[in-house]
Amino acid sequence: MSKRDWITGLAAGIVGGIGVHKLKKESPVYKTKYNRKKNELYESGKTNYHIYDSAKQRLKAEAEENIKVKGK
């Protein structure tokens, strides 16, 4: 084999390897599933925070009412 064949094979191998690596790493299905899961976790966390915050405010208001009633 000549040097030209070796260089052509090496270049084709490198380009092919990079292409396969990018295709494997940046699979649209993988990205879609990842983004969907990330958005679901964000939304569920935000919803749970709002539930917790409203319960906290309600309990605080009830405690203030109890203090006012017992204080009279």
Side-chain angles (χ1 to χ4, degrees), residues 5-68:
D5 292 339
W6 279 102
I7 292 174
T8 304
L10 182 63
I14 290 173
V15 170
I18 290 172
V20 168
H21 180 68
K22 282 187 177 183
L23 181 65
K24 184 179 177 186
K25 187 177 178 182
E26 298 178 8
S27 173
V29 174
Y30 171 76
K31 277 188 167 184
T32 303
K33 286 181 180 180
Y34 173 77
N35 287 336
R36 185 182 312 138
K37 187 58 122 177
K38 184 173 71 171
N39 290 337
E40 287 174 2
L41 287 173
Y42 175 75
E43 289 300 324
S44 65
K46 193 165 74 172
T47 302
N48 289 340
Y49 173 76
H50 289 303
I51 292 170
Y52 171 78
D53 194 42
S54 65
K56 184 176 161 184
Q57 289 176 354
R58 183 177 46 85
L59 290 173
K60 187 176 180 181
E62 288 176 4
E64 288 175 358
E65 286 293 321
N66 288 340
I67 291 172
K68 288 178 184 177

